[in-house]
Amino acid sequence: MKIVNPATEEVLAEIEAADAAEVDRAVARARQAFRAWREVAPGDRARLLRAFARQVEEHAEELAQLEITNAGHTVGNARWEAGNVRDVLHFYAGAPERNHGKQIPVPGGIDVTFQEPLGVVGVIVPWNFPMVIMTWGVAPALAAGNTVIVKPAEYTPLTALRLAELALAAGLPEGVLQVLPGVGEVAGARLVDHPDVGKIVFTGSTEVGKEIAAKAAGQVKRVTLELGGKSANIVFADADLDKAARAAPMAVFDNSGQDCCARSRILVERSVHEEFLARLTAEVAGLKVGDPHDPGTAMGPLISAEHRARVASYVTEPYFQGACPAGPGFWFPATVLTGDQDRAFHEEVFGPVVSVVPFDGEAEAIRIANDTAYGLSGSIWTRDLGRALRVARAVEAGNLSVNSNSSVRYWTPFGGFKQSGLGRELGPDALAAFTETKNVFFSSNDFFASE
Ligand code: NAD
């Protein structure tokens, strides 16, 4: 596979794609490693994860630079992402000793539950946030005593490969964390099919996610799915309009819109719609699109020429478009649309395209926000606390924010309603997704000969 810098179109590396036989060998190694890894004392597993986090800390700038050149991320984002990888590893390094079961009162003995690891976990990663999304699966899976095989996206394997080296340098035993770059339909599909893979964590498109869920069902294989989104940013007339308008562009254009949580539909109460649109457009006009290494850059390139063509197909009559470099590189300008009948309003564009539409009243805002098969995230801007509560409870999405657009903190749960996913990642309960609950009853009779 040719790995390309999307900002320059230079070839960065050529990497061999794993075939099905190589996946089978990796699964055999992971099975073997699992026998010893599950027996590593909780405190020792924790120490190894902390050592892994320290390795990431020491190599944070190198990882950030890799993500800039391989994925086109802006320097500010890439540094935040390397820090997030470190923090997620530290957070789940605190989990092995806290992976408690329960003791449940029963007559005639005691009843206890154990949280048993699943075995080999496959983590299939998209290209939009390569190292971060990989780690959200890897860290809790390892903490719970599983071994892991990561299949990075075709475009962006470089940080994943480096993280696997750093894990070894930290002292994680061979076979506990493996990274296999490869084609989705070959290496990814074999991970899903392999009977010795106990669980698949998939982040990517809803289309592929459905296919994986259907295949996994044949083996009753565990799955966590993090899929697409078409999130609504709802702005009521009583909101701090200036703040909402200043924050709205980067809530959709961050990472050039290649973000599953992108608030790509802005719903504005009709009485302030025109004013909001004017302020938003002024803000978008000021966004700098270009060299991702420049700290002043708000948006880098899209991931590939194919993806850019797909994004462009959604834009016919833009209300406003910003500027962007001409090339080389897969550039696309920040784009504002105002229609609610076009494809862009209903489908996930996964690029820097936002639709702004008016609404009349709370009920209509909720109806439009929920009129989608997706349900990942969203925002509500209002100064009325009662309304904030009502709308937050009524919007069908897994991650909402009020008077803010932030969706992701590693210590709070993350995931989608409806076709945006299945299960949750991150937060205090992530290990539940990487363990089975085993219930054991010990009869109080018959342990010793009665006197
Ligand atoms: P994609 O579905 O094309 O690919 C994702 C991964 O799956 C890649 O590693 C790919 O190689 C692999 N894959 C493809 N076909 C496969 C198959 N048949 N079997 C097994 N694996 C296969 O998605 P993408 O284009 O890389 O990513 C963009 C999508 O990801 C968007 O829809 C976005 O919303 C979604 N996403 C969701 C979240 C979330 O947390 N909900 C986060 C990031 C991205």
Side-chain angles (χ1 to χ4, degrees):
M1 298 184 295
K2 274 195 170 55
I3 309 303
V4 171
N5 179 337
T8 62
E9 302 184 36
E10 278 163 348
V11 176
L12 296 167
E14 296 209 20
I15 293 199
E16 207 170 313
D19 59 12
E22 193 166 343
V23 174
D24 290 356
R25 286 192 290 276
V27 174
R29 280 194 295 275
R31 285 283 297 173
Q32 178 73 24
F34 173 62
R35 289 193 197 107
W37 181 244
R38 69 176 302 172
E39 299 303 336
V40 171
D44 291 333
R45 223 184 291 141
R47 261 188 291 283
L48 285 165
L49 287 173
R50 280 195 284 273
F52 187 7
R54 277 196 302 277
Q55 284 287 329
V56 171
E57 168 88 52
E58 282 163 25
H59 296 86
E61 186 57 26
E62 179 196 343
L63 288 164
Q65 292 297 330
L66 273 180
E67 212 72 300
I68 296 169
T69 48
N70 190 178
H73 287 198
T74 59
V75 60
N77 279 9
R79 287 184 178 144
W80 180 90
E81 288 156 22
N84 183 263
V85 170
R86 171 204 59 212
D87 292 346
V88 171
L89 286 167
H90 271 305
F91 185 68
Y92 290 108
E97 302 104 319
R98 295 175 176 83
N99 196 16
H100 307 135
K102 288 185 173 140
Q103 180 268 312
I104 299 167
V106 288
I110 58 169
D111 191 282
V112 288
T113 66
F114 298 92
Q115 293 308 119
E116 304 284 16
L118 302 172
V120 180
V121 172
V123 178
I124 302 178
V125 181
W127 47 258
N128 62 328
F129 290 108
M131 65 174 149
V132 165
I133 289 175
M134 161 180 167
T135 309
W136 294 0
V138 165
L142 293 180
N146 305 281
T147 53
V148 178
I149 300 174
V150 174
K151 209 299 281 172
E154 290 85 337
Y155 293 119
T156 53
L158 299 187
T159 43
L161 288 164
R162 189 67 186 115
L163 283 171
E165 290 171 359
L166 295 177
L168 282 179
L172 267 82
E174 292 268 355
V176 168
L177 172 61
Q178 301 177 74
V179 171
L180 282 191
V183 174
E185 293 80 353
V186 180
R190 181 60 191 151
L191 271 180
V192 176
D193 285 340
H194 201 300
D196 287 340
V197 174
K199 163 147 192 166
I200 293 289
V201 179
F202 171 80
T203 306
S205 60
T206 295
E207 186 191 351
V208 175
K210 286 179 186 173
E211 224 177 277
I212 286 177
K215 276 210 225 161
Q219 298 174 26
V220 198
K221 187 170 293 200
R222 278 69 184 135
V223 287
T224 295
L225 302 174
E226 295 288 1
L227 310 175
K230 192 71 203 174
S231 299
N233 186 355
I234 309 172
V235 182
F236 287 95
D238 68 359
D240 180 336
L241 214 58
D242 190 51
K243 197 168 166 203
R246 271 190 285 115
M250 290 315 279
V252 51
F253 298 143
D254 191 39
N255 206 30
S256 306
Q258 302 166 125
D259 183 337
C260 53
C261 290
R263 274 81 166 152
S264 52
R265 294 182 299 157
I266 307 182
L267 319 183
V268 188
E269 198 155 15
R270 195 175 299 277
S271 60
V272 293
H273 176 257
E274 286 307 309
E275 185 186 347
F276 181 90
L277 197 55
R279 290 189 197 209
L280 175 93
T281 308
E283 200 66 37
V284 175
L287 291 182
K288 189 164 167 220
V289 184
D291 180 8
H293 288 95
D294 178 346
T297 294
M299 252 174 51
L302 295 175
I303 191 70
S304 66
E306 299 74 35
H307 187 54
R308 180 176 55 187
R310 188 180 163 275
V311 170
S313 77
Y314 282 96
V315 180
T316 43
E317 289 173 57
Y319 173 81
F320 177 81
Q321 262 190 323
C324 73
F330 312 123
W331 305 99
F332 197 82
T335 301
V336 180
L337 307 179
T338 47
D340 63 357
Q341 297 301 319
D342 51 8
R343 280 198 308 136
F345 190 73
H346 297 283
E347 296 177 18
E348 184 183 45
V349 178
F350 221 57
V353 178
V354 69
S355 303
V356 185
V357 301
F359 69 82
D360 295 296
E362 208 173 297
E364 192 181 35
I366 294 166
R367 184 189 62 69
I368 300 172
N370 289 340
D371 185 20
T372 166
Y374 295 114
L376 192 53
S377 64
S379 302
I380 300 145
W381 293 80
T382 176
R383 287 193 175 103
D384 178 336
L385 181 58
R387 165 180 284 160
L389 262 172
R390 285 191 301 275
V391 179
R393 295 299 302 271
V395 172
E396 298 158 352
N399 312 275
L400 293 171
S401 35
V402 176
N403 297 330
S404 158
N405 296 314
S406 69
S407 325
V408 178
R409 290 176 189 81
Y410 57 83
W411 61 100
T412 61
F414 176 77
F417 277 34
K418 304 196 284 191
Q419 294 191 25
S420 283
L422 191 66
R424 291 293 178 272
E425 293 192 288
L426 301 175
D429 304 320
L431 266 63
F434 294 101
T435 53
E436 291 284 12
T437 300
K438 181 184 285 169
N439 190 66
V440 184
F441 169 69
F442 293 80
S443 164
S444 48
N445 299 320
D446 300 330
F447 279 115
F448 303 102
S450 38
E451 299 193 349

